């Protein structure tokens, strides 16, 4: 079953009122039936697309402390060893997932554990697949540590269209694998930083589903 995510309530309500006013104004100020019909069709299409963007599919997630689940829907655009300067300050395996406007934009916790770090960074709005977007764009970085001391950094990154990153986590709280921890509005990207040597289970350009696709195994 699919519903509307809570992050879409205010936007959809505001959009509905705006479109309603526009359509009433068109009918009042113009005698053209064709113009009224065109305005109504465009309005309906825009509203339905926005509602589709904020869809929230129900997913049954089986927790497993030996795997890292995908934090979002999208396509894998990078798997590489990089230097991570913000938290780890050493080399890590970076897995980057690009979310197009047509993807579900909910973010799910990749592992269960303690939130060790959570920091928001204002920044630019380069295209999400740009190599510098991880360090130049608006972003929020979260580090989760499981019971065995395994740490994962999850970085939500805004893109050209995404101008609003939502993050529900706070330092010191516990989160569960597959639990919703955030939302990025209108196109974006998520980077995962894993320890060197972690067994990666996905390939470049592969499509993944948040809370369902296995990104890596820890055994």
């Amino acid at each position: 079953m699919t519903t509307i995510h809570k992050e879409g309530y205010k936007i959809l309500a505001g959009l509905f009122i705006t479109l309603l006013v526009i359509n009433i104004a068109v009918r009042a100020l113009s005698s053209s039936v064709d113009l009224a019909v065109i305005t109504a069709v465009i309005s309906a299409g825009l509203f339905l697309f926005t509602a589709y963007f904020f869809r929230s599919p129900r997913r049954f997630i089986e927790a497993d402390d030996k795997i890292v689940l995908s934090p979002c829907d999208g396509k894998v655009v990078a798997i590489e060893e990089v230097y991570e300067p913000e938290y780890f300050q050493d080399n890590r395996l970076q897995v980057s997932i690009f979310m197009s406007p047509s993807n579900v934009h909910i973010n799910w916790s990749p592992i269960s554990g303690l939130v060790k770090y959570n920091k928001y960074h204002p920044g630019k709005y380069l295209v999400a697949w740009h190599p510098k977007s991880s360090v130049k764009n608006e972003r929020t970085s979260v580090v989760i540590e499981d019971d065995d001391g395994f740490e994962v950094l999850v970085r939500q990154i805004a893109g050209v269209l995404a101008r609003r990153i939502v993050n529900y986590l706070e330092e010191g709280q516990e989160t569960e694998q597959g639990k919703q921890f955030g939302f990025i509005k209108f196109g974006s990207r998520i980077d995962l930083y894993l320890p060197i040597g972690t067994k990666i289970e996905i390939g470049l350009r592969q499509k993944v589903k948040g809370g369902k696709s296995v990104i890596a195994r820890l055994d």
Side-chain angles (χ1 to χ4, degrees):
M1 183 178 69
T2 299
T3 58
I4 299 298
H5 195 273
K6 62 182 181 181
E7 296 299 334
Y9 293 166
K10 289 183 179 180
I11 290 177
L12 287 171
L15 180 62
F16 178 82
I17 293 171
T18 300
L19 293 174
L20 181 62
V21 170
I22 290 173
N23 279 267
I24 292 174
V26 168
R27 296 189 61 135
L29 299 174
S30 174
S31 60
S32 172
V33 175
D34 289 343
L35 180 60
V37 170
I38 291 172
T39 302
V41 170
I42 292 175
S43 297
L46 179 59
F47 185 83
L48 289 174
F49 173 79
T50 305
Y52 177 75
F53 174 85
F54 283 103
R55 68 196 184 280
S56 179
R58 187 177 181 184
R59 292 183 180 172
F60 296 96
I61 298 169
E62 296 183 8
D64 186 339
D65 60 5
K66 295 298 182 183
I67 62 175
V68 177
L69 291 177
S70 177
C72 63
D73 289 10
K75 181 187 290 186
V76 178
V77 294
I79 302 173
E80 57 186 340
E81 182 177 332
V82 299
Y83 180 79
E84 197 293 302
E86 179 180 352
Y87 179 83
F88 295 114
Q89 298 181 0
D90 63 11
N91 285 0
R92 294 277 149 167
L93 280 177
Q94 175 183 318
V95 176
S96 299
I97 303 168
F98 172 71
M99 292 176 279
S100 75
S102 64
N103 287 126
V104 173
H105 276 61
I106 300 169
N107 303 147
W108 290 267
S109 294
I111 63 172
S112 297
L114 178 69
V115 179
K116 296 284 295 295
Y117 179 83
N118 188 326
K119 188 170 183 179
Y120 168 78
H121 303 270
K124 299 180 179 180
Y125 298 99
L126 302 172
V127 290
W129 58 84
H130 193 287
K132 294 292 185 181
S133 64
S134 294
V135 294
K136 295 290 187 181
N137 279 21
E138 177 186 351
R139 62 203 181 278
T140 297
S141 298
V142 176
V143 176
I144 303 171
E145 181 183 51
D146 70 11
D147 292 338
D148 296 324
F150 180 86
E151 291 183 317
V152 175
L153 189 155
V154 187
R155 180 169 292 145
Q156 298 168 288
I157 303 168
V160 173
L161 296 178
R163 300 298 173 109
R164 180 79 169 90
I165 294 175
V166 180
N167 189 290
Y168 309 132
L169 298 177
E170 296 180 0
E171 288 186 24
Q173 79 172 84
E174 295 281 343
T175 187
E176 299 175 2
Q177 187 179 55
K179 182 179 180 180
Q180 292 185 19
F181 78 86
F183 197 100
I184 312 178
K185 299 178 181 179
F186 300 111
S188 44
R189 163 177 161 173
I190 282 190
D191 288 348
L192 281 174
Y193 293 88
L194 309 167
I196 300 298
T198 302
K199 185 180 179 183
I200 303 298
E201 291 290 314
I202 41 85
L204 201 59
R205 293 183 292 278
Q206 180 176 330
K207 292 183 179 180
V208 293
K209 276 199 169 186
K212 303 294 286 186
S213 300
V214 177
I215 298 296
R217 293 194 180 274
L218 310 183
D219 51 358

